Amino acid sequence: MFTGIGIIAGWLALILGLSFYVRQRIGAKTWRSMHRFTIVVYLLALGHVIGAGTHGRSWWMLVMLAAVTAPIVFAFTYRILPATHRPTPSTSSPPQARQPAARPARLAPSQA
């Protein structure tokens, strides 16, 4: 069963990865909606790693998986939580115009 989950996760990861190259044909909106399932593919792969093989539940494997999964969980949680403190393009202030840098004054030949 866990081997089958790994095969499904591998094929889905391949499809999602290769969809980058057909992004202009399928449209940005479709591409983004496809990539929302990346977390599902990751969870399937994680289930495969833990369930299949002889080292899936060993302490060192679980420590490695926790180290790799922690930033993913953080980023995913940050992404799905409401953006109360994050500036959005519609509410943020317009970008400031860049001021040209002041040029240093040139010294007269007698002052040099």
Side-chain angles (χ1 to χ4, degrees):
M1 177 175 137
F2 290 110
T3 302
I5 289 173
I7 291 170
I8 292 169
W11 279 107
L12 290 174
L14 181 70
I15 291 167
L16 288 175
L18 291 177
S19 70
F20 172 79
Y21 299 104
V22 294
R23 181 178 57 192
Q24 292 191 357
R25 282 190 176 182
I26 62 176
K29 186 176 180 181
T30 303
W31 185 75
R32 271 193 308 273
S33 65
M34 283 176 64
H35 277 262
R36 292 174 198 248
F37 292 102
T38 303
I39 192 72
V40 175
V41 174
Y42 181 77
L43 292 174
L44 287 171
L46 196 61
H48 164 73
V49 169
I50 293 172
T54 57
H55 300 298
R57 293 186 188 112
S58 61
W59 69 269
W60 58 269
M61 178 64 83
L62 294 176
V63 167
M64 281 196 324
L65 292 176
V68 171
T69 303
I72 293 171
V73 169
F74 175 77
F76 179 72
T77 305
Y78 181 78
R79 180 76 173 163
I80 64 169
L81 287 178
T84 56
H85 299 293
R86 285 185 276 166
T88 58
S90 61
T91 61
S92 64
S93 60
Q96 298 285 335
R98 289 186 72 190
Q99 298 294 328
R103 294 185 183 195
R106 291 193 177 183
L107 297 175
S110 62
Q111 293 177 350

